[in-house]
Amino acid sequence: MIGLWIFLTLCLNGVISQFPRVCTTDIALQTKNCCPRWTDGTPCGFRSGRGRCRNGVAFSSLAAGQVPLYNDDRWDWPRYYYDSTCECFGNYGGFDCGDCKHGYFGDRCERRKTLVRREIRELSLVDRKRFFSYLALAKTTKSKDFVVLTTGDRHHRDTFRFVDASVYDVFAWLHYYSMKPIMVNSTFNEAKNFAHQGPVFTGWHRVSLMFLEREIQRLTGDEDFTFPYYDWRGERNCSICTNDFMGDNDVQGRLDPYSHFSNWRGMCSGYDYPDAYCPVVEEHQMETLLRKPGTDPVSNRLPSVQDVEDTLQWRDLDTPPFNETARRSFRNALEGFLRPSDGETLERNMHNLVHMYLGGTMSRVPISSNDPIFILHHSFIDKIFDKWIQKYNISPSLYPPNNEPGQGPNDCCTPFFPCIRNKDLLWKTTLFGYRYTYFKNF
C-alpha cells in the first residue's frame, strides 16, 4: 500500500491533475497498473483491436526501480505511480484507448478532420457566445474520467489524496502540477519544473490545449469545436479585455460584474508552497480572477510584430544549457527569457511579457491557466511554434538530446496518459488535426 486513496469532494471546482479515475483505486495503485478494461471487457480494448497493456511505460534511460524514494513523484513519468499503461493502436487514443487520437472521430476513429482555430476577433457573435458557454459548462461540470492529486506535504505519501475536479479545473491543475519545483533527494529546485524553462515548453503547452479542447468536444458533443487565439502582436493595449470578449476590469483588477468570467475562482490560488500540491480545495478559499493589463511599469507593452519575426529566425529548438539562459534558442526567445533580435541578451519578452502585461492571475504563472485568456495567449504561442516548424521543416528527430528531468526527447510528457514522448509533439499542427487561420498578415 503506498498510502494513496480516493477522497471525493462535493465541490465541482476541486483540484485537478490528469489521473484517470479508474487508475486511482487501491488495487490499481498497489499493482501500479493503469490498463483499464474497455467496454469489451479486456484491458485497453485489446479484444476489439484498440490497444494493449504495455509494461515499462517510460522511454527514458533510467533503469527500472531507479526512481529514489525521496525524489519527485513526477520523475520519469508515470513510473512513480504505474509500471503498466495502455498503448493504443492505429487511430485510437485515450488512457483506456476508448477515445480517438487528435484529429480522428467516429466509433472506430475512422473519420479524419482538420479543424480550424480562428483569431477571436474573427468569430461571429454566435461563435463567441458558444465559446463562452462551453467554457462555463467545462468550469461547472465534474470530470467523469479524471481526478486530481492534492497533498499536505510532498515529502509524506500519507498526505496524498485524489479529489474530484471540474473539466476546466483539470486543465488548470495540469499547469499548476507540472510547474511545481522539482524535488531531488528531498530538496526543491525552484529553477526546474516539467513544463517550462527547457525544450519541453512548446510541446507541453500544445498537448495541454489539445487535451482541454478534446474534453470540451466530448462534453458538448460538438466535434467541430476549436479554441480561438489572440494575436497580440503590436497592440497598444489589450483589445480583447472588454466585456464583449474576455472581460473589462476595474483599477483593482477585479473583472467587471457583467463580464463572462467575473464569478470564476482560481483553484490553488494562494497555495504556491513548493512542498505541497494545493492542500486546500474548498471553493470559498479560492480567489476570484484578477487582471490588470498594462499597469506593470516594467512590462507595460505587448510584443511587437518585429519581435515575432525575430523569434522565428532561430533555427534550433533549444541550446545548452537548456534553461532560461540558453542563447540563440528559438524556445528561449519564444518563452520570453531572451531578446529575439540578437539571441544573446537576456530580457523579458514574448510569452513571458504577455503574462506580466496582463497582470493579476496571468502574472502568477503557476496558476495563470485559471484565467481563460491563457488559452487564447497560448494558442497564439502554438501558432508561432507551428510557423517555425513549417519554416524549417522540423521533425521529431531535431528535438535536442538533453538530460533535464522530464525534458528529454523520449521522456513521457508529464503528466499525460497515455504516454506521448516530448519529441513526438514536434510535428506541424495538421498532423494533430487542426490548423490556424491567416490573420493580420501572419
Side-chain angles (χ1 to χ4, degrees), residues 1 24 36 60 80 97 133 191 210 218 224 269 297 300 321 324 329 336 376 387 399 401 408 436 439:
M1 179 94 177
T24 55
S60 77
Y80 184 95
C97 300
S133 66
M210 291 193 299
R218 296 175 62 210
D224 295 321
S269 49
N300 59 2
E324 71 279 5
S329 157
L376 277 65
K387 285 281 185 179
Y399 190 102
Y436 289 98
F439 181 78

Side-chain angles (χ1 to χ4, degrees), residues 202-340:
T202 47
W204 191 97
H205 288 82
R206 166 171 285 183
V207 74
S208 70
L209 289 176
M210 291 193 299
F211 166 74
L212 180 59
E213 192 172 67
R214 180 59 181 154
E215 287 298 292
I216 291 178
Q217 291 169 354
R218 296 175 62 210
L219 177 66
T220 61
D222 185 352
E223 65 180 42
D224 295 321
F225 170 75
T226 57
F227 287 140
Y229 63 94
Y230 170 38
D231 185 343
W232 32 250
R233 293 172 304 149
E235 292 223 315
R236 294 181 179 273
N237 52 57
C238 176
S239 62
I240 65 168
C241 294
T242 67
N243 287 349
D244 287 337
F245 290 91
M246 302 307 291
D248 199 355
N249 60 273
D250 62 22
V251 293
Q252 294 180 301
R254 294 174 299 198
L255 294 184
D256 189 275
Y258 295 101
S259 69
H260 297 283
F261 309 107
S262 61
N263 294 321
W264 279 41
R265 292 181 176 271
M267 39 78 75
C268 301
S269 49
Y271 295 96
D272 293 338
Y273 310 119
D275 61 345
Y277 293 138
C278 196
V280 180
V281 298
E282 288 83 358
E283 184 177 1
H284 70 274
Q285 298 201 24
M286 299 179 189
E287 301 171 1
T288 55
L289 301 184
L290 297 174
R291 205 181 297 144
K292 302 181 73 173
T295 59
D296 183 345
V298 179
S299 305
N300 59 2
R301 71 172 183 91
L302 290 165
S304 67
V305 172
Q306 191 61 48
D307 287 332
V308 175
E309 293 300 320
D310 288 340
T311 297
L312 290 167
Q313 73 178 300
W314 305 111
R315 185 168 189 142
D316 291 331
L317 174 65
D318 212 350
T319 58
F322 304 111
N323 59 27
E324 71 279 5
T325 69
R327 264 68 171 189
R328 303 178 69 83
S329 157
F330 168 74
R331 186 277 312 166
N332 210 26
L334 181 62
E335 191 170 358
F337 293 107
L338 185 67
R339 181 179 295 170

Side-chain angles (χ1 to χ4, degrees), residues 366-387:
I367 63 166
S368 59
S369 48
N370 282 293
D371 187 341
I373 206 169
F374 176 99
I375 295 172
L376 277 65
H377 169 40
H378 273 278
S379 290
F380 189 56
I381 292 294
D382 187 60
K383 181 179 180 180
I384 298 171
F385 180 36
D386 191 52
K387 285 281 185 179

Side-chain angles (χ1 to χ4, degrees), residues 2 6 53 62 83 126 136 164 205 221 260 301 303 352 419 436 442:
I2 65 175
I6 300 295
C53 187
L62 286 178
D83 289 329
V126 171
D164 277 339
H205 288 82
H260 297 283
R301 71 172 183 91
N352 291 344
C419 171
Y436 289 98
F442 186 70

Side-chain angles (χ1 to χ4, degrees), residues 398-410:
L398 297 176
Y399 190 102
N402 69 90
N403 295 318
E404 296 299 308
Q407 307 235 7
N410 290 313

